[in-house]
Amino acid sequence: MATDETALSRERAAGRPEFDHVYSPGTVQTEPPPITSDRLYNVDLAPTRREGRTWNAYSIFTLWANDVHSLGNYSFAIGLFALGLGAWQVLTALGVGALLLFFLLCLSGFMGYKTGVPYPVMSRISFGVHGAQLPAAVRGIVAIAWFGIQTYLASVVLRVMLIALWPGLAPLDSNDVLGLSTLGWISFVALWIIQVIIVCYGMEMIRRYEAMAGPIILVTFVALAVWMLWRVDFSIAWATENPLTGWEMWVHILGGGALWVSIYGTFVLNFCDFTRSATSRGAIVKGNFWGIPINMLLFGLIVVSLAGAQLKLDGTIITAPADIVQTIPSVPLIVLASLALLILTVAVNLMANFVAPTYALTNMFPKALNFQKAAIVSAVIGLIILPWNLYNSPVVIVYFLGGLGALLGPLFGIIMVDYWIIRRSKVNVPQLYIDTNDGAYYYRKGVNPRAIAAFIPSSLASLAVALLPFFAGASEFSWFIGAALGAICYLITAKKRVEYTDQHGEAIAVATTH
């Protein structure tokens, strides 16, 4: 697909941030390509060319059509009912979170569109060409662990579906080999292989899979909600017996909205991994608008329908959509619903937990690993850590993964305030790949000590709020607290009154489908 020149012209005419040296398709480079370091550059880390980018508004919308409707998100939103929130309070909490996310994801997405670089390279702007390993590693470790856990949870659905189809497989599900039954291992490895194959074909294959999965997921959940409403004559219970009121209600509403943003704390960091191939800023805005506020409204209505209908039927609060799938009075329909849940889980895992560690590993070893090899390495790590044991360990989930998750807020605050406020979106893209003392992002031995100085206190504060019982009342807001402290600390420590250079990276760019 050719670059949308008209859209680019409109954006420049409107005064939106754009490069001083604007690239136009067909322009002949009159200057020699900049020299890049093989410690920082390969074709997977290189910026993407403006011409030929393929992620349009629909591509970005389907990211959210899949991710918003993940099983984990349904469990979280339904859990708000268990806290005592009624239907309109749940919708309000999700709405608050959706509006905040729309704004934050546009900020992050525009960075990827302008520079064309993935998240680890984007981090070099504020942390330095070598210091960027820190934010990339934090994001990558969290993602690898959750990749394994989500694959395990999907394998549970597959295992149940296989036994429903072929009851003779039940004996294979009764033994234990390193924490999984034989059937459990078969299910896990099968899903693991499918995801590895998809990722090995690159970001373009991921885009196609997400585009295929999105409509399937939406139709499945809408059909499930309509079926539940039909069972209760389209009259649901709007609240539990003891709903929250007053100040306590509003604290939980705002806390639910804050947690909703925290769930996406990973994505607001590395959204540029996807928007680096976006066709225009307008595509990002349109895709985010339909995928976040509008799609989350649909998500909220489905949550209310499922939970409210089940509450009216028997007075119980479901924990996940899988609870309802199991009550479908037809084996073929159960199988179809289970397949949809498997398609959904794979889609969510690919975008949320596979791309980030793949780029992080490529950034660590650009001479040895390309995107395909890094994908295989991250998948192998996700297998050998035996993720089902991690999932069953509250210490690992709460303290290890929860602690790493608490670091994402400070990283976001530092990176965003540096890009949008300190530099006013001026980036010299070729310099992101230069490993010499005179490089714009070399700082001190490749590390920006001012970013590290901002990260340490803000991350310690974020960890304390997220994990210490003393701050339990504010733990829902730990991501925002960490992001705000990271931004403030960096504003204080960053150099002021510096003239920054804006330069596109077309001379070293590669095609989106490389």
Side-chain angles (χ1 to χ4, degrees):
M1 182 184 295
T3 301
D4 190 343
E5 293 184 66
T6 304
L8 292 176
S9 300
R10 285 199 301 267
E11 288 179 8
R12 290 194 291 273
R16 296 187 176 118
E18 190 53 69
F19 288 112
D20 294 336
H21 306 283
V22 177
Y23 166 74
S24 298
T27 299
V28 177
Q29 292 288 341
T30 56
E31 298 180 2
I35 298 173
T36 59
S37 168
D38 58 4
R39 296 177 60 191
L40 302 173
Y41 180 95
N42 66 20
V43 294
D44 296 298
L45 297 174
T48 55
R49 291 179 189 154
R50 289 294 181 89
E51 186 175 11
R53 291 183 178 182
T54 55
W55 286 71
N56 55 25
Y58 177 76
S59 306
I60 293 169
F61 162 73
T62 54
L63 285 180
W64 309 127
N66 292 307
D67 194 69
V68 167
H69 293 271
S70 72
L71 298 183
N73 285 351
Y74 273 103
S75 296
F76 163 76
I78 291 171
L80 296 178
F81 267 92
L83 291 176
L85 294 181
W88 76 266
Q89 291 102 327
V90 170
L91 290 174
T92 302
L94 295 178
V96 169
L99 292 176
L100 289 170
L101 272 176
F102 173 73
F103 173 72
L104 297 175
L105 285 165
C106 284
L107 284 182
S108 180
F110 291 164
M111 294 166 63
Y113 165 71
K114 178 179 178 178
T115 62
V117 303
Y119 167 66
V121 177
M122 187 75 69
S123 302
R124 296 174 187 174
I125 300 171
S126 49
F127 282 86
V129 291
H130 299 312
Q133 300 292 3
L134 170 64
V138 170
R139 176 67 181 96
I141 292 170
V142 173
I144 285 178
W146 280 112
F147 161 74
I149 291 171
Q150 291 284 1
T151 302
Y152 160 66
L153 294 176
S155 73
V156 173
V157 176
L158 177 58
R159 195 175 70 205
V160 172
M161 186 185 76
L162 290 174
I163 292 176
L165 283 173
W166 298 286
L169 295 175
L172 295 177
D173 200 35
S174 59
N175 62 333
D176 187 295
V177 181
L178 296 177
L180 279 187
S181 66
T182 300
L183 186 59
W185 272 103
I186 293 172
S187 302
F188 181 90
V189 172
L191 290 172
W192 183 90
I193 291 173
I194 289 171
Q195 292 175 94
V196 170
I197 291 173
I198 293 172
V199 171
C200 282
Y201 278 95
M203 292 295 290
E204 185 63 14
M205 179 59 74
I206 293 175
R207 181 185 72 83
R208 292 175 181 176
Y209 182 87
E210 301 292 332
M212 176 276 297
I216 294 174
I217 302 312
L218 291 175
V219 169
T220 299
F221 278 109
V222 168
L224 198 61
V226 170
W227 178 66
M228 286 296 291
L229 290 172
W230 174 78
R231 293 178 67 188
V232 294
D233 296 324
F234 293 89
S235 175
I236 65 173
W238 291 93
T240 58
E241 291 184 0
N242 301 304
L244 296 176
T245 57
W247 172 248
E248 187 179 9
M249 176 193 72
W250 284 107
V251 167
H252 278 83
I253 288 175
L254 295 177
L259 283 174
W260 193 235
V261 175
S262 298
I263 289 172
Y264 286 86
T266 53
F267 243 125
V268 293
L269 267 180
N270 75 302
F271 189 35
C272 57
D273 287 342
F274 304 91
T275 58
R276 65 192 293 245
S277 298
T279 55
S280 68
R281 284 167 57 119
I284 297 171
V285 173
K286 188 181 297 184
N288 281 347
F289 175 74
W290 287 101
I292 300 298
I294 303 302
N295 184 39
M296 283 187 178
L297 174 61
L298 175 63
F299 168 81
L301 293 173
I302 293 173
V303 166
V304 168
S305 299
L306 295 179
Q310 191 64 45
L311 192 61
K312 184 172 182 179
L313 279 174
D314 57 16
T316 62
I317 298 176
I318 60 173
T319 59
D323 296 344
I324 290 177
V325 170
Q326 294 173 3
T327 67
I328 297 176
S330 167
V331 172
L333 291 179
I334 288 178
V335 171
L336 288 175
S338 298
L339 282 174
L341 296 183
L342 288 174
I343 291 172
L344 165 65
T345 304
V346 169
V348 172
N349 227 9
L350 289 173
M351 60 186 289
N353 299 318
F354 217 155
V355 171
T358 298
Y359 275 127
L361 286 169
T362 305
N363 188 60
M364 290 179 183
F365 310 103
K367 289 190 288 186
L369 297 177
N370 58 17
F371 191 89
Q372 184 181 62
K373 292 177 181 177
I376 293 172
V377 170
S378 62
V380 169
I381 296 172
L383 171 63
I384 64 176
I385 61 176
L386 304 181
W388 45 89
N389 293 328
L390 298 182
Y391 182 72
N392 293 325
S393 172
V395 173
V396 171
I397 295 294
V398 174
Y399 291 102
F400 178 63
L401 292 179
L404 285 173
L407 303 181
L408 300 177
L411 290 174
F412 180 81
I414 292 168
I415 292 171
M416 291 296 146
V417 79
D418 180 58
Y419 181 90
W420 289 107
I421 297 178
I422 302 296
R423 300 175 184 276
R424 299 186 182 278
S425 75
K426 291 184 177 180
V427 182
N428 190 328
V429 175
Q431 290 286 318
L432 293 170
Y433 302 91
I434 294 179
D435 188 21
T436 58
N437 291 332
D438 59 348
Y441 308 103
Y442 191 77
Y443 298 108
R444 188 177 302 172
K445 296 183 179 180
V447 178
N448 182 4
R450 297 173 187 270
I452 301 299
F455 176 71
I456 292 174
S458 58
S459 62
L460 290 176
S462 184
L463 283 170
V465 173
L467 302 178
L468 295 182
F470 179 79
F471 297 103
S475 61
E476 296 168 326
F477 304 95
S478 62
W479 187 89
F480 287 94
I481 293 171
L485 288 176
I488 292 169
C489 289
Y490 193 74
L491 275 174
I492 294 171
T493 60
K495 282 186 177 181
K496 309 297 190 299
R497 294 183 294 277
V498 176
E499 187 65 32
Y500 295 104
T501 303
D502 212 23
Q503 175 64 50
H504 65 68
E506 288 296 324
I508 57 172
V510 298
T512 298
T513 54
H514 55 269

